[in-house]
Amino acid sequence: MSIQVQGVDQVFHGQTVLDNLNLTFEPNKIYGLLGRNGAGKSTLLNIISNRIPATHGTVTLDGETVRDNDAALGKIYLMSEVNLYPERARIKQLFKTTQLFYGDFDTTYATKLAQAFGLDVNARFSKLSTGYRTIFKLIVALCVPVDYVFLDEPVLGLDANHRELFYQELIETYSNNPRTFVISTHLIEEIANLIEHVFVLDDHHIVVNGEVPDILAKSYAISGPQTDVETYTSGLNIIGQDHLGGITAHYVYGPLDDNRPIPDTVKVEHLDLQKLFVSLTNTKEEAAAHVN
Amino acid sequence: MSTKLRATTRYLLIDQLKMLGAAALTIIGLFMVLPFLFALVSGNLGNFSFSNTFGNFSWGFLLGMFLFIANSLTYDSFKLLIQNGISRKTFWSAKVLVVLMIAFAGELVSALYYYGISAPLRGLSMHAALMNMPYSLYANFFGSNVLVNVFASLIFNAIFLTGVGLTGMAVGSILALFSKWTQRIVIVVTPILGLFLLGFLISTTNTGDGYSSYDFTGFVNFLKFLVGYPQHGPATTGYFNPAMPTITMLIGCAIVGAIAYFFNQKLKIKN
């Protein structure tokens, strides 16, 4: 019981976007899919939901390909940044259309959420602002009877209040009816406490794939006087560094040397998810800009 | 029929029926209003007759145009359906079913209008009305029973309309692969290229004195064979054999249906 992405390559106009990607989405888990702009997150989600074909590789759900497979595609919902709904359709009609294709759409919950978010269900899709289009798609995503919900930029255009409301509803619906959510967003701090497992996509590859507590347990910020920090982190996997005044911070991803004593002048802390992400995905030029 | 196919067929059918209704109302409005205005402006109101204008209305033509245009609109339906977990194969199957339903039901309605309203308004008998249609070549092939021949014409026309709808699907599936800009270029350039090609063919095969240096006998015989030209005896209107054009249309339907399926499989979401 899982979605398996195996050996997926994607090449657009001779440029590699995804290179031999392998990952698994297990049932009833909340995933974070993180990556910088253009990293290929949306492409990956489009391939999983059979919206675009992969150049190579397969995507299977419970062992069956998702390609041209109604049964598999009926267990997946991708809420994407791209609007695929008819512009002239009214929101309440789109709820009915979703019910027609997916089956047991939770209309009661959708109506409740529409009220909570202040979404006018009699409005036409074309008349909605960017934020309300996102809200409409989020409502569908939370009410549709599928096993795997993929949310690509789920809070695009939402104000802080609506974002807060969405996160609350996500937790509530997940508690009442556990299913897999995959959240792809740039607002890492906001989802850091929600997600259980994280994938970081960088340079066409998955560079981090693990449970969030495990990942953070081996992510360190080591700060102190430059010489002491450099001596302590020598030989470790330094993924980034900052200098401020006389203080140097090295960011390390991976095990520390247990045999190496920590100097009194050096402080070792765990990184948060956003800092880890930034350090892992910074380009050399960006990393150098921090070392001044 | 699977639940998904049933749901998709239902959705596309309702969508197309709404479009057909709107198109029919618009065309009827234009068909009635424009001749009336023309008669009014030109001072010929005394010669204008609503019943004549209404009687001359061709449902078959409207249906053919509609089936081609409605089924060439591919991408909007595709993006909604793929958003809702419907595969390309189901999309194609549902569209074929909708084409069949509208072609056959539409042809039936069209025939009811033609023989029930249009023909009496024009003072034509059923047989005379049948002889006024493109099917007139085959109008007496099944004997003197006009109902049998009318029924055969319904099937013949419905198959033709199905072919038109499937051709629309094939063209739409191909166009849907391109960006809007490229689509416009293709739509504008293709007919121009076609005319140039036709002109080129005529100029290369024509000697200038009205005769051709090319021998077209084989081609003409093949065309005669396709339209069911009698192999023996006189070629009399009404006694051509409809079997060969029917088989040709069915083969054509299969070919354009396969082309539509092939390109339908290539559909993808554009950014």
Side-chain angles (χ1 to χ4, degrees):
Chain A
M1 286 286 287
S2 61
I3 289 180
Q4 295 212 315
V5 176
Q6 290 168 318
V8 164
D9 295 334
Q10 187 66 13
V11 180
F12 285 133
H13 307 299
Q15 285 214 316
T16 300
V17 179
L18 300 174
D19 185 9
N20 193 25
L21 242 57
N22 295 285
L23 47 107
T24 301
F25 297 101
E26 289 168 359
N28 309 335
K29 223 170 180 180
I30 301 182
Y31 288 87
L33 176 62
L34 310 179
R36 300 196 61 183
N37 292 325
K41 304 183 297 295
S42 298
T43 301
L44 173 62
L45 298 182
N46 279 331
I47 289 170
I48 291 171
S49 56
N50 197 213
R51 290 183 183 185
I52 59 172
T55 308
H56 295 110
T58 58
V59 178
T60 56
L61 193 155
D62 299 345
E64 284 190 20
T65 179
V66 299
R67 192 179 168 85
D68 243 353
N69 183 343
D70 285 331
L73 292 173
K75 292 178 185 170
I76 296 172
Y77 181 83
L78 167 59
M79 176 241 163
S80 58
E81 207 179 324
V82 184
N83 293 315
L84 304 182
Y85 290 98
E87 293 280 316
R88 283 188 52 75
R90 293 186 193 281
I91 298 307
K92 61 182 176 188
Q93 185 55 46
L94 290 176
F95 286 157
K96 283 182 188 162
T97 304
T98 310
Q99 180 161 32
L100 174 69
F101 293 121
Y102 272 110
D104 299 324
F105 182 77
D106 193 342
T107 310
T108 314
Y109 187 38
T111 309
K112 187 193 140 198
L113 285 175
Q115 278 175 352
F117 279 102
L119 173 67
D120 177 8
V121 294
N122 291 310
R124 292 188 193 277
F125 187 75
S126 60
K127 299 290 176 196
L128 299 181
S129 64
T130 304
Y132 272 104
R133 286 182 184 203
T134 301
I135 287 170
F136 159 70
K137 290 185 277 184
L138 282 178
I139 292 174
V140 174
L142 295 182
C143 298
V144 78
V146 296
D147 297 332
Y148 296 87
V149 181
F150 293 88
L151 304 170
D152 191 6
E153 294 297 347
V155 291
L156 187 78
L158 297 198
D159 59 36
N161 307 51
H162 280 153
R163 293 207 301 273
E164 187 68 29
L165 183 55
F166 161 62
Y167 295 130
Q168 282 171 8
E169 291 297 338
L170 178 65
I171 293 165
E172 195 174 320
T173 187
Y174 178 70
S175 310
N176 296 337
N177 173 25
R179 55 214 192 266
T180 296
F181 285 94
V182 180
I183 306 171
S184 170
T185 181
H186 294 295
L187 300 181
I188 300 168
E189 281 178 329
E190 292 191 2
I191 63 156
N193 294 327
L194 277 176
I195 61 177
E196 298 167 74
H197 193 108
V198 67
F199 295 111
V200 176
L201 194 51
D202 188 48
D203 198 21
H204 326 301
H205 297 92
I206 294 288
V207 292
V208 172
N209 174 3
E211 301 295 303
V212 174
D214 298 343
I215 298 294
L216 295 183
K218 54 183 179 181
S219 309
Y220 303 95
I222 295 154
S223 55
Q226 184 170 357
T227 320
D228 294 349
V229 168
E230 282 176 354
T231 306
Y232 181 70
T233 59
S234 167
L236 301 179
N237 181 27
I238 301 166
I239 56 174
Q241 51 188 293
D242 277 327
H243 295 270
L244 184 64
I247 299 295
T248 291
H250 279 190
Y251 306 118
V252 173
Y253 182 61
L256 302 180
D257 186 348
D258 291 338
N259 298 323
R260 196 178 293 176
I262 303 172
D264 294 339
T265 52
V266 168
K267 198 159 104 183
V268 178
E269 294 170 302
H270 284 290
L271 285 175
D272 61 33
L273 196 57
Q274 174 148 311
K275 191 68 197 172
L276 172 67
F277 171 80
V278 170
S279 303
L280 280 169
T281 58
N282 256 346
T283 59
K284 280 177 185 167
E285 292 76 21
E286 287 164 333
H290 286 261
V291 187
N292 290 319
Chain B
M1 189 190 280
S2 72
T3 317
K4 296 268 185 184
L5 180 56
R6 197 163 45 239
T8 311
T9 307
R10 189 181 149 196
Y11 176 83
L12 292 175
L13 182 62
I14 291 171
D15 193 43
Q16 288 208 10
L17 287 178
K18 279 183 192 168
M19 269 198 278
L20 180 58
L25 285 176
T26 309
I27 297 291
I28 287 171
L30 288 174
F31 205 75
M32 301 301 283
V33 172
L34 284 183
F36 174 75
L37 286 177
F38 184 72
L40 188 70
V41 170
S42 61
N44 289 300
L45 204 55
N47 297 328
F48 177 76
S49 159
F50 267 111
S51 57
N52 273 352
T53 311
F54 197 61
N56 286 332
F57 187 72
S58 170
W59 278 102
F61 182 72
L62 169 71
L63 204 57
M65 289 289 287
F66 172 79
L67 276 167
F68 182 83
I69 294 169
N71 286 289
S72 65
L73 305 173
T74 304
Y75 186 69
D76 281 351
S77 299
F78 167 69
K79 66 180 190 177
L80 176 71
L81 293 173
I82 201 76
Q83 170 71 79
N84 283 287
I86 303 296
S87 66
R88 290 163 182 78
K89 194 163 60 186
T90 301
F91 175 36
W92 177 86
S93 305
K95 236 177 158 182
V96 170
L97 286 175
V98 170
V99 167
L100 284 168
M101 282 190 265
I102 292 185
F104 277 81
E107 177 55 26
L108 186 62
V109 172
S110 173
L112 287 174
Y113 173 82
Y114 184 63
Y115 295 108
I117 297 172
S118 181
L121 281 173
R122 292 154 66 192
L124 297 173
S125 68
M126 190 176 254
H127 183 262
L130 184 61
M131 288 304 287
N132 257 353
M133 297 174 71
Y135 187 76
S136 60
L137 283 176
Y138 319 99
N140 299 317
F141 184 80
F142 290 105
S144 57
N145 189 334
V146 70
L147 285 177
V148 173
N149 283 306
V150 165
F151 180 74
S153 79
L154 292 190
I155 302 296
F156 186 89
N157 291 343
I159 293 172
F160 176 75
L161 288 172
T162 303
V164 170
L166 291 174
T167 307
M169 276 176 66
V171 171
S173 306
I174 295 168
L175 286 176
L177 302 178
F178 300 117
S179 67
K180 281 193 175 168
W181 169 249
T182 316
Q183 283 178 21
R184 284 179 195 141
I185 298 286
V186 170
I187 290 167
V188 171
V189 167
T190 307
I192 296 170
L193 275 180
L195 283 175
F196 268 110
L197 191 65
L198 196 66
F200 176 73
L201 281 174
I202 290 168
S203 68
T204 52
T205 57
N206 198 333
T207 52
D209 53 4
Y211 293 95
S212 172
S213 57
Y214 282 61
D215 182 8
F216 287 110
T217 313
F219 182 62
V220 171
N221 286 340
F222 179 64
L223 285 182
K224 281 182 174 177
F225 173 72
L226 288 185
V227 295
Y229 197 86
Q231 303 253 318
H232 310 286
T236 314
T237 302
Y239 292 95
F240 281 44
N241 186 350
M244 192 43 67
T246 304
I247 292 168
T248 306
M249 285 193 298
L250 288 173
I251 292 171
C253 285
I255 292 170
V256 286
I259 292 171
Y261 182 81
F262 177 79
F263 287 103
N264 197 72
Q265 288 289 306
K266 309 272 178 206
L267 290 175
K268 58 184 178 184
I269 291 299
K270 300 164 191 168
N271 283 327

